[in-house]
Amino acid sequence: MRHFCTLTVKGPEEIWLLLSCMETSKAANCKSSFLVGLICNGRITMELPAMTRKCCLQYLVNKLLKISVATDLRGSFSFYCCFHSFQSYPNFAAQTFTMSHTKAYAAYDAETPLRDFDLERREPGPHDVQIEILYCGVCHSDVHQVRNEWGNSIFPMVPGHEIVGRVTGVGNAVTKFKEGDLAGVGCLVDSCRECENCKDGQEQYCKNGWTGTYNGFERDGKTPTYGGYSKSIVTTEDFVLKVSDKLDLKAVAPLLCAGITTFSPLRHWKVGKGHKVGVLGLGGLGHMAVKFAASFGAEVTMLSHSPSKEADAKRLGAHRFALTSNEETIKSLGNYFDFIIDTVSAPHDYNIYLGMLNTNGVMICVGVPPEPAQVVGFNLIFQRRSIAGSLIGGIAETQEMLDYCAEHNIVSDVEMIAMKDINEAYERMLKGEVKYRFVIDLATL
């Protein structure tokens, strides 16, 4: 356990307050015992090692109380104390928190490579599960977020939302997990839990905004969330998933995004025997769409501009392969498919594929190109076609997907990498040089 005092800086008066704290450390003859630094959002954390924390803390508490009264700052800064016993300071018991140190890899901005980062995870609360992360998949959205291509990035950022590992601690109110269990965390770590979508098990469509595993904020609106490019994570048990020991754990990790992203729409539109499904793009999402659609009993056609993908597509379960760079092939597929799963995140012409849909056909978009698409209205209205989107799945559906995969022996095709190779992996992923999902071995961090 590590021991901290944390201040939230809001103005020059509190910078003076921080300087006073530093003077306090000198007065307590423990100048070297404090680690002082701006973390983010104006937060300053001072670490108190065990041998000096008591003498420092008593002095700090008294000093800070006097300063806050003298400068009328009592309500403008947050003061938290963490140490083994609060018997001497009962007035601060309600503001206690404890943190554990975690090694990670982070993007510090949108331009420079990811590198080492130290963060603090909270100790498990009553309903929390602490997980030692063993493997984390690398999603294409990690690249989008790290490079701020969607314009909503928060730095420093620890990516990763395809997390599997082993439970190392649980809160005293946790009932679904125990130490030693295998567990996973996907794209969500919380939601409002009160809106109609949350109550219906569709937390991914939370009307008050769900909490992302990374590049977001906890429900307090100010504590950053950090993802799976790290050694551990602490999450409320309602957003932790059970993982079967029947499957290769490292190949399970991508199921928590790539898997559920394709499983959910196929289930929603009740795709199965008798349906003709086209899968556009053979990558991390596409290879899972082929596996699931084939497993559900549909006739599956891989749509690709690269003839080199044919052998792999059929190995994964596709019944047919269509080369979309061939105009005759495109013509032959007019009005053919009941559904097309579009997994492509690069710019492309939607109209080519809309013309392949039969009457009442649906083109389901799960990839997110960086630029808006242009759709010709006649391609929709003449055959009553639809274009729709789908976003991952709720927690219950994600658990259903994991259970289905365990029963039918479905996992992702993965290539393992060390943490230090993540920047190179991003470049290779953009070039399509991975079959079909990179997974980080966190033992290398």
Side-chain angles (χ1 to χ4, degrees):
M1 184 182 295
R2 302 175 73 183
H3 312 278
F4 297 87
C5 293
T6 300
L7 300 172
T8 303
V9 177
K10 297 183 179 178
E13 294 90 350
E14 292 188 359
I15 294 176
W16 172 74
L17 186 152
L18 170 64
L19 295 175
S20 297
C21 294
M22 294 175 70
E23 290 301 314
T24 298
S25 69
K26 295 176 185 178
N29 195 28
C30 53
K31 180 179 179 181
S32 63
S33 72
F34 283 99
L35 175 63
V36 181
L38 279 169
I39 304 302
C40 62
N41 297 327
R43 275 203 167 181
I44 296 169
T45 299
M46 294 170 287
E47 181 178 349
L48 292 85
M51 68 176 63
T52 57
R53 67 178 182 271
K54 288 185 179 179
C55 65
C56 294
L57 193 57
Q58 178 68 73
Y59 197 100
L60 273 172
V61 169
N62 294 335
K63 184 79 172 178
L64 287 170
L65 285 174
K66 290 177 182 177
I67 293 171
S68 67
V69 172
T71 59
D72 196 27
L73 291 172
R74 182 181 292 274
S76 69
F77 71 87
S78 302
F79 176 49
Y80 304 93
C81 308
C82 305
F83 55 110
H84 287 305
S85 173
F86 273 87
Q87 280 115 2
S88 302
Y89 313 99
N91 292 335
F92 287 89
Q95 293 178 300
T96 303
F97 70 92
T98 55
M99 309 288 279
S100 60
H101 175 71
T102 301
K103 293 176 65 178
Y105 240 55
Y108 288 75
D109 55 59
E111 305 296 331
T112 57
L114 280 75
R115 61 186 188 273
D116 287 320
F117 180 71
D118 287 334
L119 61 87
E120 304 297 330
R121 298 288 195 193
R122 68 179 185 269
E123 292 293 328
H127 298 280
D128 284 338
V129 176
Q130 182 182 58
I131 300 169
E132 176 193 4
I133 301 175
L134 301 177
Y135 304 107
C136 183
V138 180
C139 180
H140 201 284
S141 62
D142 294 351
V143 180
H144 288 305
Q145 298 279 36
V146 162
R147 299 184 178 184
N148 197 25
E149 292 176 351
W150 293 339
N152 66 338
S153 297
I154 303 165
F155 297 104
M157 180 194 303
V158 177
H161 55 207
E162 300 179 344
I163 300 167
V164 293
R166 194 172 298 279
V167 175
T168 55
V170 296
N172 57 21
V174 171
T175 60
K176 303 174 186 175
F177 296 90
K178 64 181 186 304
E179 289 188 25
D181 285 351
L182 296 177
V185 176
C187 303
L188 311 177
V189 292
D190 212 338
S191 69
C192 81
R193 312 193 198 195
E194 296 176 351
C195 71
E196 58 185 308
N197 285 343
C198 286
K199 290 180 178 179
D200 192 39
Q202 299 186 86
E203 296 91 349
Q204 78 274 30
Y205 301 125
C206 175
K207 292 188 174 181
N208 295 309
W210 44 267
T211 301
T213 304
Y214 74 90
N215 196 43
F217 293 98
E218 299 283 2
R219 302 314 290 180
D220 62 10
K222 60 185 179 181
T223 304
T225 57
Y226 295 122
Y229 294 13
S230 59
K231 296 290 281 185
S232 70
I233 191 168
V234 178
T235 306
T236 176
E237 73 166 326
D238 290 339
F239 286 78
V240 179
L241 299 147
K242 293 181 178 294
V243 174
S244 171
D245 60 4
K246 296 179 181 178
L247 300 175
D248 181 357
L249 197 59
K250 59 182 178 291
V252 169
L255 297 179
L256 294 164
C257 180
I260 188 58
T261 295
T262 49
F263 181 93
S264 182
L266 290 169
R267 281 302 199 214
H268 175 76
W269 274 279
K270 298 178 173 58
V271 173
K273 189 175 181 180
H275 288 135
K276 297 175 181 178
V277 177
V279 177
L280 178 57
L282 185 57
L285 294 177
H287 92 289
M288 291 308 307
V290 170
K291 290 187 178 189
F292 283 134
S295 178
F296 295 165
E299 178 197 284
V300 181
T301 301
M302 169 52 57
L303 303 170
S304 176
H305 66 274
S306 175
S308 63
K309 299 287 184 73
E310 181 171 2
D312 253 10
K314 292 183 175 178
R315 175 184 64 81
L316 293 165
H319 303 94
R320 305 177 64 195
F321 181 87
L323 192 62
T324 55
S325 57
N326 185 308
E327 290 187 9
E328 291 301 316
T329 299
I330 292 174
K331 288 180 181 179
S332 70
L333 291 173
N335 303 310
Y336 184 79
F337 295 110
D338 300 298
F339 302 96
I340 292 176
I341 307 292
D342 183 353
T343 71
V344 177
S345 291
H348 58 289
D349 186 355
Y350 285 25
N351 297 286
I352 293 173
Y353 307 100
L354 286 171
M356 297 180 183
L357 290 172
N358 201 354
T359 307
N360 298 319
V362 183
M363 181 173 172
I364 306 164
C365 299
V366 293
V368 186
E371 301 172 1
Q374 291 187 340
V375 174
V376 177
F378 289 120
N379 286 333
L380 298 175
I381 64 177
F382 275 5
Q383 293 297 326
R384 198 163 59 197
R385 300 174 178 125
S386 302
I387 185 168
S390 181
L391 176 70
I392 54 173
I395 298 304
E397 188 175 45
T398 305
Q399 187 63 63
E400 177 192 341
M401 180 269 303
L402 289 171
D403 295 343
Y404 182 91
C405 289
E407 182 181 351
H408 294 85
N409 195 31
I410 296 174
V411 290
S412 301
D413 287 24
V414 303
E415 177 181 336
M416 300 303 298
I417 61 169
M419 188 72 260
K420 66 180 179 61
D421 297 324
I422 187 61
N423 296 296
E424 178 187 353
Y426 280 2
E427 297 303 322
R428 288 183 55 200
M429 184 164 56
L430 293 174
K431 296 175 183 177
E433 295 178 354
V434 55
K435 293 185 178 180
Y436 281 96
R437 201 69 150 187
F438 286 119
V439 172
I440 304 164
D441 182 350
L442 270 304
T444 64
L445 179 59

